[in-house]
Amino acid sequence: MPLVLPEKRRAVAADLRRLLGSEKVRDDVPTLTAYAVDASIYKIVPQAVVLAESEADIQTSVTYAMRTGVPLTPRAAGTNLTGSAIGSGIILDISRLNRILELNRDERWVRVQPGIVFAELNKRLACHSLLFGPDPSSGDMCKLGGMLANNSSGPHTLRYGSVKDNVQALRVCLSSGDWLEARRYGLDDPALHAVLATHPSLQTVLELVRQQADLIRAKRPTVSKNSCGYNLFGLVDGLDQAVFDLPKLFVGSEGTLGVISEATLRLVDRPKASITALIHFRSLEDVGEAVPQLLALSPSALEVMDTNTLNLIGRDRHGIPSDAAATLLAEFDQDGGLDSLREQATRLTALCHRYRLSSDPVVAFDQGQRDQLWNARKALYPTLYRYDQRKKPINYVDDVVVRADQISELIRYLEEFFRAQHIAVAIFGHIGNGNAHIVPLLDVNDRDDFARMVDGYRAIHQTVLTRFSGSICGEHGDGRVRAEFVRRMFGEELYDLFVQVKRSLDPTRVMNPGVKISDTSFTEHIDYTRLSKACATCGKCNSVCPVYDVFQSEDMSSRGWFEIVTSKEYSYLNSKRVVEACLNCKSCRTICPADVDVSELILKRRAEHPNRMAGAVFALHARPWLFDPLLKAAARTQWLWDRPRPRAWLEWITRPLMRRIAETARFPRDMVMPRLATRHLRERYPELVRIGASGPTSIAYFHGCAANYLDDGVGDAVIAVLRRHGVEPALPVQRCSGTPIQTYGHVKLVLEGARHNLASLERYDTVVTGCASCTLMLKDYPQLFEAGPEREAADRLARRVKHITEFVAESKEAPDQSTGTARRRKVTYHSSCHLRAAGVTKAPRKVLAALPGVEFIEMEDADRCAGGAGTYILKDYDTAAKIFERKRRAIEDSGADVVATSCPACMIQLNNGLRGTVQVKHVAELLRDSFESAQESRGTDPSSKR
Ligand SMILES: Cc1cc2nc3c(=O)[nH]c(=O)nc-3n(C[C@H](O)[C@H](O)[C@H](O)COP(=O)(O)OP(=O)(O)OC[C@H]3O[C@@H](n4cnc5c(N)ncnc54)[C@H](O)[C@@H]3O)c2cc1C
Ligand code: SF4
Ligand code: SF4
C-alpha cells in the first residue's frame, strides 16, 4: 500500500522525538536527502536521522530500533566508499560526540569519542609530539567512528599498521542496548567471566571461535592487509595468547555488531623529521623490481600511481613527465634529524638511478612542499570527477590486496583487462602493502558500461582470489559493494561462521542490515541520477564548511547542500532553512577537487527567490545621493545610539524589519559596531577622485563599500601604501562589487553594478583592491556574462585585479620601512575566505613576514572562515559567533599581539569576537605603520591624511 509508507516514516521520527527531544531528530525532506548518500555509488533514503549527543541517545536509539525492528545505521563523516553509512531506517549520526576525553602522554594513549575528525585529533596530539598512526587519505574529513568501524588504514600503514593494530579498548552499545567494555581480557580473568555473564552473545562468539580455530587459521588471508569479513583471525590470535581480544571483533565490523561510543587508542611518537620523494619510472617492470629494494630502506609510506592515473589527473598540471609509466611517492621518517634524512635521500636517489627514470627523483624536505606532493595523491579519486561529463570514477573493485612483489603484475593484468573493455581506469594505492585502488571511469546509465562493470566486478575479484591469493578488501570495508563477494572470498564454512557471529550479536538484524553480511547484489541501490552529476560526494568540502563545523549535521553542510539543491524533490519552501544557512564563504569551492562550486548552486537557488527587504536596501544603496547622507547622519549620531540602552532598543525596534531578511536576523545589541565615517573615503581624497575622472594614472584603487563608509583605517592605509610605492591611485566611480547583493539573490542588481564597474575600470592597467570579497567578485565577473563583448571586458578586468598585498609583494619599489620597534610584535594572519578563493594566499604572508619589527606566526586554522561573511553577522549572529569560536582559540593559541587580515569585513567579525584582547589590523595598515615610523624616524612627515 503506497500510502502507508509516509505514515510509517513519520511514526519513526515522531517516536524518536518523544524519546530524544525534537532538537536531535530530523525527518524533513532536505535532511533525508542529505543523509541518503555517502561517498559510495549508492543512495538509500532513511526514515529518520538522530543527531546523538550522549551515550544515552545512542542507547535509546538502539533499543528503539531493536524493539521496533527498524534498521539502524551508525554514521560518522559518511566518507566510506561502500554504502555502509546509509540505510533505510534510522541514521544515527555520532558526529557531535567529538571530544578528547583523556590523554596519557607517558603511556601514550588517548581516549576519544567517535565523532572526532582524524586530522583534528592528530593536530591536538601534535603539541604533545604524539600521533595516531593509521592515516586514511580522507583524514581531513573522516572521523574516528568510521575509521574504527572500517578498520581503515592509509599510506603510512607500512609503518604504523591499520586501525585494528592501534586500538586498546572500545565502549560499544550492543543491539541489546547493553554497554560493553570491549578490551583484551585474559581467558582466566574474572572480569571476562562477568562480561560473558552479562553478554551471553559474546559467550557464543567465544565458543564458535574456539571450536573453529583451525578453520579460521586455514582461511586467513596471506596478504599484509585485510578488512574483508569479521576479524575472527584476530580473535584466534588472541586465543593463542590466552586472551579474548574483543576490540578485534568490533574494529572493521562496519556498524553491524554495535555502536562505538568511545575508543582508547594507542599512540606513537611523532617523527622528528620526514622527507617525501616523487620518482617517475619509465617502465612498470622496473617499478616491480624497485619496490622490494625501496622497502628495504624502511619507508613509512610507498604509494603508486599508474600511467592512466597520471594521464587522467593531467601530467602538465602536476609536472609529470610524458614518458612516466608509473610514479612512486615514498616517505621516510627519521628521529635522527636532518643529516640522517639527507643520507637517506642520497641512498634513495642512488637506488632509483639503477632504473630507467623519466627524471631525477624530486625529494622534498620542506613541510609545504611535502604537503603539495601528498595533496594531489590524497584527492585523486574526487579529482577524477573532472575528467568527463558522463564517465565517472566508479568504486566497485576499488580495494584489492596482493603481495607487494606482485603489484606490478596485478597492474599489468588490470591495464590489459580494462584495455580490452575499452574503459579508462586509474590504478593507484599503497604499493608497499600491495593494496591497489582501482577506479574505472564509466557511465553507469549506459547499458554497455553497466554490463562491463558487472563483468569486471566478478572477473577481477575472482582473479585476485585465485591467481594472486589476495583479498578483495584492504581498508575500505565490504559495505554494500563487496558484501555479495565475502562468501566467495572465504568459502561457505567461514562465511557461515560470520553469519553466526552476526546472528548472536544482532539477532533481530537491525544493526546496519545489507552491509558486510548480505546476499544482495552490489548493483542494488546504485544512485544512477547522482552518478551523472558533478559531485563525487567525497565530503572534502564538509571539512572546511563553517556551518558544518558548528552543526555537525549533513543537512547543514556543503556536501548535503549539493544534494539538496540538485535534488528532484527540491523546493525553496521545503529547503529554505538550509539554503539560507550558507555563508557564501566559498571555502567549499576553494577545496573541491572535482571543481564543484556548491556556493554558486546555492546562490542560483536563492536567486529564484530574491530577498525583498535586502533588495530594497541595495536599491537605496545604488542611489548614493540618498544613501550617503543617511549613512553620514548615522555616523554623526553614532556616539548617541551606539551605547547599550539605545542598542537594546534598536535591536527591538528593527526586529520586524530584520525578520524580513531572515528569521534569525537582528541588529544585535552586543555586537561591536565598526565606526562609521562622517567623511567618506572619497570625500577625504577629492584629488584622487578627480584623477579617477580624467587623470593620467594607470592604477585605480577599487575601495569597495566598507573602506568608503567605515572609519576603519583600511582605505587610508591602502592609499598611503600605494603612494609609498610611487603610485597616485585613481578612485574611479564605483558601485558595490556585488558580493552581498548576490548573497540575497538579486542577480539583476549584481549585473547592473558589474556593468557599471566594468565601464569605469576599463581604462586602468591595474585595479588594486583592499577587500577580499571585492577582489574575488571582480575576478569572478566573467562568470556573470555569456560569451560576447561584456564577457571579454570581464575577462580583461579579472586579469588586472590585484589585492594590495599582491601589489606590494610584486612591486619592485622598496620603500623605507621602520627598522623595527623596541619590542618585536608577534603578528598572525587570518586568511580571508574570499581572498583564498581568489588564489591570494602567499602574498599577504610574504608581506607580513618581511615587515621589520614583526615576528610572523602562522596560526592553526588560519584558512578557516571567521564567520562574519559580510552581512551574515547580522543575518545569523548566534551562528556567526559559534563559527568564530574556533578562530578565537586559534588566535589565542598563537600567542600573537596582532591578528592581521586582508579584508575590512573580516575585521568587523574579528573585532567583535576578540573584543580588544588581540589587536586587529589590515595588512595595509601594518605596512603603512612601518613606512610612517621609518619616515618619522628620519624626521619627515608621513603622506597619509588620516
Ligand atoms: C577521497 C577518499 C579517500 C579515501 N582514502 C581512504 C584510505 O586511504 N584508507 C581508508 O581506509 N579509507 C579511505 N577512504 C574511505 C573512508 O574515508 C574511510 O574508510 C573512513 O575511515 C570512513 O570514515 P567516516 O567517518 O567517513 O565513516 P562513515 O562513512 O560515516 O562510516 C563508515 C562505517 O563506519 C560505521 N560507523 C561510523 N561510526 C560508527 C560508530 N560510532 N559505531 C559503529 N559503527 C560506526 C558506519 O556504519 C559505516 O559502516 C577514502 C574515502 C575518500 C572519499
Ligand atoms: S562538492 Fe566537491 S568536495 Fe564537496 S563532496 Fe562534492 S566533490 Fe567532494
Ligand atoms: S560557501 Fe561556505 S558556508 Fe556555504 S557551503 Fe560553501 S563552505 Fe559551506
Side-chain angles (χ1 to χ4, degrees), residues 609-634:
H609 296 264
N611 184 287
R612 281 204 205 148
M613 185 66 211
V617 176
F618 293 130
L620 181 66
H621 177 230
R623 291 166 179 75
W625 64 94
L626 203 58
F627 184 79
D628 288 11
L630 281 175
L631 207 63
K632 274 191 239 164

PDB file of all heavy atoms in Angstrom, residues 609-634:
ATOM      1  N   HIS A 609      14.424  33.239  -5.523  1.00  0.00           N
ATOM      2  CA  HIS A 609      13.572  33.908  -4.525  1.00  0.00           C
ATOM      3  C   HIS A 609      14.340  35.052  -3.875  1.00  0.00           C
ATOM      4  O   HIS A 609      14.708  34.970  -2.699  1.00  0.00           O
ATOM      5  CB  HIS A 609      13.128  32.903  -3.437  1.00  0.00           C
ATOM      6  CG  HIS A 609      12.274  31.834  -3.978  1.00  0.00           C
ATOM      7  ND1 HIS A 609      10.898  31.895  -3.936  1.00  0.00           N
ATOM      8  CD2 HIS A 609      12.580  30.684  -4.602  1.00  0.00           C
ATOM      9  CE1 HIS A 609      10.407  30.822  -4.524  1.00  0.00           C
ATOM     10  NE2 HIS A 609      11.399  30.065  -4.929  1.00  0.00           N
ATOM     11  N   PRO A 610      14.612  36.115  -4.639  1.00  0.00           N
ATOM     12  CA  PRO A 610      15.414  37.205  -4.068  1.00  0.00           C
ATOM     13  C   PRO A 610      14.740  37.794  -2.828  1.00  0.00           C
ATOM     14  O   PRO A 610      13.516  37.912  -2.790  1.00  0.00           O
ATOM     15  CB  PRO A 610      15.465  38.237  -5.193  1.00  0.00           C
ATOM     16  CG  PRO A 610      14.709  37.691  -6.335  1.00  0.00           C
ATOM     17  CD  PRO A 610      14.142  36.370  -5.992  1.00  0.00           C
ATOM     18  N   ASN A 611      15.565  38.126  -1.871  1.00  0.00           N
ATOM     19  CA  ASN A 611      15.019  38.676  -0.630  1.00  0.00           C
ATOM     20  C   ASN A 611      14.609  40.142  -0.837  1.00  0.00           C
ATOM     21  O   ASN A 611      15.444  40.987  -1.178  1.00  0.00           O
ATOM     22  CB  ASN A 611      16.081  38.574   0.468  1.00  0.00           C
ATOM     23  CG  ASN A 611      15.558  39.028   1.802  1.00  0.00           C
ATOM     24  OD1 ASN A 611      15.356  40.209   2.031  1.00  0.00           O
ATOM     25  ND2 ASN A 611      15.323  38.072   2.669  1.00  0.00           N
ATOM     26  N   ARG A 612      13.328  40.408  -0.630  1.00  0.00           N
ATOM     27  CA  ARG A 612      12.800  41.744  -0.978  1.00  0.00           C
ATOM     28  C   ARG A 612      13.366  42.840  -0.096  1.00  0.00           C
ATOM     29  O   ARG A 612      13.711  43.913  -0.547  1.00  0.00           O
ATOM     30  CB  ARG A 612      11.276  41.736  -0.831  1.00  0.00           C
ATOM     31  CG  ARG A 612      10.629  41.081  -2.003  1.00  0.00           C
ATOM     32  CD  ARG A 612       9.218  41.585  -2.128  1.00  0.00           C
ATOM     33  NE  ARG A 612       8.457  40.569  -2.837  1.00  0.00           N
ATOM     34  CZ  ARG A 612       7.199  40.317  -2.659  1.00  0.00           C
ATOM     35  NH1 ARG A 612       6.514  40.985  -1.756  1.00  0.00           N
ATOM     36  NH2 ARG A 612       6.585  39.410  -3.356  1.00  0.00           N
ATOM     37  N   MET A 613      13.434  42.535   1.192  1.00  0.00           N
ATOM     38  CA  MET A 613      13.909  43.547   2.133  1.00  0.00           C
ATOM     39  C   MET A 613      15.352  43.953   1.790  1.00  0.00           C
ATOM     40  O   MET A 613      15.672  45.144   1.700  1.00  0.00           O
ATOM     41  CB  MET A 613      13.853  42.948   3.544  1.00  0.00           C
ATOM     42  CG  MET A 613      14.210  43.902   4.637  1.00  0.00           C
ATOM     43  SD  MET A 613      12.988  45.203   4.723  1.00  0.00           S
ATOM     44  CE  MET A 613      14.024  46.526   5.277  1.00  0.00           C
ATOM     45  N   ALA A 614      16.192  42.905   1.591  1.00  0.00           N
ATOM     46  CA  ALA A 614      17.591  43.199   1.238  1.00  0.00           C
ATOM     47  C   ALA A 614      17.629  43.963  -0.087  1.00  0.00           C
ATOM     48  O   ALA A 614      18.426  44.894  -0.259  1.00  0.00           O
ATOM     49  CB  ALA A 614      18.389  41.901   1.140  1.00  0.00           C
ATOM     50  N   GLY A 615      16.739  43.587  -1.012  1.00  0.00           N
ATOM     51  CA  GLY A 615      16.680  44.250  -2.318  1.00  0.00           C
ATOM     52  C   GLY A 615      16.400  45.734  -2.160  1.00  0.00           C
ATOM     53  O   GLY A 615      17.014  46.567  -2.849  1.00  0.00           O
ATOM     54  N   ALA A 616      15.506  46.073  -1.234  1.00  0.00           N
ATOM     55  CA  ALA A 616      15.165  47.482  -1.014  1.00  0.00           C
ATOM     56  C   ALA A 616      16.402  48.233  -0.500  1.00  0.00           C
ATOM     57  O   ALA A 616      16.695  49.359  -0.941  1.00  0.00           O
ATOM     58  CB  ALA A 616      14.017  47.582  -0.017  1.00  0.00           C
ATOM     59  N   VAL A 617      17.144  47.590   0.412  1.00  0.00           N
ATOM     60  CA  VAL A 617      18.347  48.239   0.961  1.00  0.00           C
ATOM     61  C   VAL A 617      19.380  48.456  -0.158  1.00  0.00           C
ATOM     62  O   VAL A 617      19.961  49.537  -0.284  1.00  0.00           O
ATOM     63  CB  VAL A 617      18.962  47.379   2.099  1.00  0.00           C
ATOM     64  CG1 VAL A 617      20.266  47.999   2.601  1.00  0.00           C
ATOM     65  CG2 VAL A 617      17.969  47.213   3.246  1.00  0.00           C
ATOM     66  N   PHE A 618      19.554  47.421  -1.002  1.00  0.00           N
ATOM     67  CA  PHE A 618      20.556  47.547  -2.066  1.00  0.00           C
ATOM     68  C   PHE A 618      20.127  48.590  -3.101  1.00  0.00           C
ATOM     69  O   PHE A 618      20.973  49.293  -3.662  1.00  0.00           O
ATOM     70  CB  PHE A 618      20.816  46.192  -2.730  1.00  0.00           C
ATOM     71  CG  PHE A 618      21.470  45.207  -1.804  1.00  0.00           C
ATOM     72  CD1 PHE A 618      20.962  43.924  -1.650  1.00  0.00           C
ATOM     73  CD2 PHE A 618      22.599  45.560  -1.077  1.00  0.00           C
ATOM     74  CE1 PHE A 618      21.562  43.021  -0.796  1.00  0.00           C
ATOM     75  CE2 PHE A 618      23.205  44.657  -0.212  1.00  0.00           C
ATOM     76  CZ  PHE A 618      22.683  43.380  -0.072  1.00  0.00           C
ATOM     77  N   ALA A 619      18.838  48.667  -3.348  1.00  0.00           N
ATOM     78  CA  ALA A 619      18.350  49.665  -4.310  1.00  0.00           C
ATOM     79  C   ALA A 619      18.638  51.066  -3.773  1.00  0.00           C
ATOM     80  O   ALA A 619      19.056  51.969  -4.517  1.00  0.00           O
ATOM     81  CB  ALA A 619      16.858  49.470  -4.551  1.00  0.00           C
ATOM     82  N   LEU A 620      18.457  51.224  -2.477  1.00  0.00           N
ATOM     83  CA  LEU A 620      18.751  52.503  -1.836  1.00  0.00           C
ATOM     84  C   LEU A 620      20.253  52.812  -1.946  1.00  0.00           C
ATOM     85  O   LEU A 620      20.673  53.921  -2.264  1.00  0.00           O
ATOM     86  CB  LEU A 620      18.320  52.431  -0.360  1.00  0.00           C
ATOM     87  CG  LEU A 620      18.526  53.669   0.493  1.00  0.00           C
ATOM     88  CD1 LEU A 620      17.639  54.807  -0.003  1.00  0.00           C
ATOM     89  CD2 LEU A 620      18.212  53.376   1.965  1.00  0.00           C
ATOM     90  N   HIS A 621      21.041  51.758  -1.695  1.00  0.00           N
ATOM     91  CA  HIS A 621      22.494  51.895  -1.733  1.00  0.00           C
ATOM     92  C   HIS A 621      22.979  52.304  -3.130  1.00  0.00           C
ATOM     93  O   HIS A 621      23.958  53.051  -3.269  1.00  0.00           O
ATOM     94  CB  HIS A 621      23.115  50.554  -1.317  1.00  0.00           C
ATOM     95  CG  HIS A 621      24.600  50.548  -1.374  1.00  0.00           C
ATOM     96  ND1 HIS A 621      25.306  49.569  -2.002  1.00  0.00           N
ATOM     97  CD2 HIS A 621      25.520  51.412  -0.895  1.00  0.00           C
ATOM     98  CE1 HIS A 621      26.593  49.833  -1.913  1.00  0.00           C
ATOM     99  NE2 HIS A 621      26.761  50.937  -1.237  1.00  0.00           N
ATOM    100  N   ALA A 622      22.246  51.852  -4.142  1.00  0.00           N
ATOM    101  CA  ALA A 622      22.639  52.193  -5.519  1.00  0.00           C
ATOM    102  C   ALA A 622      22.343  53.659  -5.847  1.00  0.00           C
ATOM    103  O   ALA A 622      22.675  54.129  -6.930  1.00  0.00           O
ATOM    104  CB  ALA A 622      21.931  51.270  -6.505  1.00  0.00           C
ATOM    105  N   ARG A 623      21.683  54.360  -4.904  1.00  0.00           N
ATOM    106  CA  ARG A 623      21.412  55.807  -5.102  1.00  0.00           C
ATOM    107  C   ARG A 623      22.216  56.599  -4.067  1.00  0.00           C
ATOM    108  O   ARG A 623      21.692  56.979  -3.015  1.00  0.00           O
ATOM    109  CB  ARG A 623      19.916  56.084  -4.919  1.00  0.00           C
ATOM    110  CG  ARG A 623      19.092  55.488  -6.034  1.00  0.00           C
ATOM    111  CD  ARG A 623      17.604  55.456  -5.698  1.00  0.00           C
ATOM    112  NE  ARG A 623      16.863  54.887  -6.814  1.00  0.00           N
ATOM    113  CZ  ARG A 623      16.834  53.589  -7.114  1.00  0.00           C
ATOM    114  NH1 ARG A 623      17.482  52.731  -6.363  1.00  0.00           N
ATOM    115  NH2 ARG A 623      16.152  53.151  -8.147  1.00  0.00           N
ATOM    116  N   PRO A 624      23.491  56.847  -4.342  1.00  0.00           N
ATOM    117  CA  PRO A 624      24.374  57.445  -3.323  1.00  0.00           C
ATOM    118  C   PRO A 624      23.887  58.802  -2.817  1.00  0.00           C
ATOM    119  O   PRO A 624      24.115  59.142  -1.665  1.00  0.00           O
ATOM    120  CB  PRO A 624      25.722  57.574  -4.040  1.00  0.00           C
ATOM    121  CG  PRO A 624      25.537  57.099  -5.423  1.00  0.00           C
ATOM    122  CD  PRO A 624      24.176  56.561  -5.587  1.00  0.00           C
ATOM    123  N   TRP A 625      23.218  59.556  -3.683  1.00  0.00           N
ATOM    124  CA  TRP A 625      22.762  60.884  -3.238  1.00  0.00           C
ATOM    125  C   TRP A 625      21.747  60.772  -2.094  1.00  0.00           C
ATOM    126  O   TRP A 625      21.585  61.663  -1.296  1.00  0.00           O
ATOM    127  CB  TRP A 625      22.166  61.660  -4.412  1.00  0.00           C
ATOM    128  CG  TRP A 625      20.916  61.038  -4.991  1.00  0.00           C
ATOM    129  CD1 TRP A 625      19.635  61.325  -4.661  1.00  0.00           C
ATOM    130  CD2 TRP A 625      20.860  60.025  -5.984  1.00  0.00           C
ATOM    131  NE1 TRP A 625      18.780  60.558  -5.394  1.00  0.00           N
ATOM    132  CE2 TRP A 625      19.508  59.737  -6.222  1.00  0.00           C
ATOM    133  CE3 TRP A 625      21.827  59.318  -6.705  1.00  0.00           C
ATOM    134  CZ2 TRP A 625      19.093  58.773  -7.133  1.00  0.00           C
ATOM    135  CZ3 TRP A 625      21.402  58.378  -7.616  1.00  0.00           C
ATOM    136  CH2 TRP A 625      20.049  58.118  -7.830  1.00  0.00           C
ATOM    137  N   LEU A 626      21.111  59.566  -1.991  1.00  0.00           N
ATOM    138  CA  LEU A 626      20.144  59.342  -0.919  1.00  0.00           C
ATOM    139  C   LEU A 626      20.791  58.556   0.217  1.00  0.00           C
ATOM    140  O   LEU A 626      20.641  58.868   1.401  1.00  0.00           O
ATOM    141  CB  LEU A 626      18.990  58.521  -1.506  1.00  0.00           C
ATOM    142  CG  LEU A 626      17.641  58.582  -0.826  1.00  0.00           C
ATOM    143  CD1 LEU A 626      17.156  60.019  -0.771  1.00  0.00           C
ATOM    144  CD2 LEU A 626      16.645  57.718  -1.607  1.00  0.00           C
ATOM    145  N   PHE A 627      21.554  57.557  -0.185  1.00  0.00           N
ATOM    146  CA  PHE A 627      22.115  56.617   0.798  1.00  0.00           C
ATOM    147  C   PHE A 627      23.212  57.271   1.636  1.00  0.00           C
ATOM    148  O   PHE A 627      23.237  57.151   2.860  1.00  0.00           O
ATOM    149  CB  PHE A 627      22.672  55.392   0.055  1.00  0.00           C
ATOM    150  CG  PHE A 627      23.180  54.313   0.955  1.00  0.00           C
ATOM    151  CD1 PHE A 627      22.304  53.433   1.578  1.00  0.00           C
ATOM    152  CD2 PHE A 627      24.545  54.155   1.197  1.00  0.00           C
ATOM    153  CE1 PHE A 627      22.774  52.424   2.422  1.00  0.00           C
ATOM    154  CE2 PHE A 627      25.022  53.162   2.042  1.00  0.00           C
ATOM    155  CZ  PHE A 627      24.130  52.292   2.642  1.00  0.00           C
ATOM    156  N   ASP A 628      24.121  57.990   0.961  1.00  0.00           N
ATOM    157  CA  ASP A 628      25.280  58.538   1.672  1.00  0.00           C
ATOM    158  C   ASP A 628      24.887  59.501   2.791  1.00  0.00           C
ATOM    159  O   ASP A 628      25.401  59.393   3.910  1.00  0.00           O
ATOM    160  CB  ASP A 628      26.246  59.209   0.682  1.00  0.00           C
ATOM    161  CG  ASP A 628      26.983  58.171  -0.160  1.00  0.00           C
ATOM    162  OD1 ASP A 628      26.572  56.992  -0.095  1.00  0.00           O
ATOM    163  OD2 ASP A 628      27.943  58.526  -0.879  1.00  0.00           O
ATOM    164  N   PRO A 629      23.952  60.444   2.542  1.00  0.00           N
ATOM    165  CA  PRO A 629      23.565  61.335   3.644  1.00  0.00           C
ATOM    166  C   PRO A 629      22.955  60.570   4.825  1.00  0.00           C
ATOM    167  O   PRO A 629      23.217  60.888   5.984  1.00  0.00           O
ATOM    168  CB  PRO A 629      22.515  62.251   3.009  1.00  0.00           C
ATOM    169  CG  PRO A 629      22.748  62.175   1.547  1.00  0.00           C
ATOM    170  CD  PRO A 629      23.329  60.842   1.267  1.00  0.00           C
ATOM    171  N   LEU A 630      22.172  59.547   4.503  1.00  0.00           N
ATOM    172  CA  LEU A 630      21.573  58.759   5.596  1.00  0.00           C
ATOM    173  C   LEU A 630      22.656  58.110   6.445  1.00  0.00           C
ATOM    174  O   LEU A 630      22.617  58.137   7.678  1.00  0.00           O
ATOM    175  CB  LEU A 630      20.674  57.652   5.019  1.00  0.00           C
ATOM    176  CG  LEU A 630      19.292  58.080   4.541  1.00  0.00           C
ATOM    177  CD1 LEU A 630      18.566  56.914   3.883  1.00  0.00           C
ATOM    178  CD2 LEU A 630      18.474  58.588   5.727  1.00  0.00           C
ATOM    179  N   LEU A 631      23.646  57.553   5.749  1.00  0.00           N
ATOM    180  CA  LEU A 631      24.717  56.872   6.473  1.00  0.00           C
ATOM    181  C   LEU A 631      25.552  57.873   7.275  1.00  0.00           C
ATOM    182  O   LEU A 631      25.980  57.589   8.398  1.00  0.00           O
ATOM    183  CB  LEU A 631      25.598  56.113   5.471  1.00  0.00           C
ATOM    184  CG  LEU A 631      26.311  54.905   6.045  1.00  0.00           C
ATOM    185  CD1 LEU A 631      25.313  53.855   6.512  1.00  0.00           C
ATOM    186  CD2 LEU A 631      27.243  54.294   5.012  1.00  0.00           C
ATOM    187  N   LYS A 632      25.735  59.049   6.693  1.00  0.00           N
ATOM    188  CA  LYS A 632      26.526  60.055   7.415  1.00  0.00           C
ATOM    189  C   LYS A 632      25.780  60.544   8.651  1.00  0.00           C
ATOM    190  O   LYS A 632      26.380  60.817   9.688  1.00  0.00           O
ATOM    191  CB  LYS A 632      26.866  61.218   6.488  1.00  0.00           C
ATOM    192  CG  LYS A 632      28.121  60.919   5.702  1.00  0.00           C
ATOM    193  CD  LYS A 632      28.619  62.136   4.993  1.00  0.00           C
ATOM    194  CE  LYS A 632      28.662  61.859   3.505  1.00  0.00           C
ATOM    195  NZ  LYS A 632      28.774  63.021   2.685  1.00  0.00           N
ATOM    196  N   ALA A 633      24.469  60.633   8.520  1.00  0.00           N
ATOM    197  CA  ALA A 633      23.671  61.024   9.697  1.00  0.00           C
ATOM    198  C   ALA A 633      23.854  59.980  10.787  1.00  0.00           C
ATOM    199  O   ALA A 633      24.027  60.301  11.973  1.00  0.00           O
ATOM    200  CB  ALA A 633      22.200  61.151   9.298  1.00  0.00           C
ATOM    201  N   ALA A 634      23.855  58.709  10.397  1.00  0.00           N
ATOM    202  CA  ALA A 634      24.066  57.636  11.379  1.00  0.00           C
ATOM    203  C   ALA A 634      25.460  57.740  11.980  1.00  0.00           C
ATOM    204  O   ALA A 634      25.654  57.530  13.182  1.00  0.00           O
ATOM    205  CB  ALA A 634      23.874  56.276  10.718  1.00  0.00           C
TER     206      ALA A 634
END
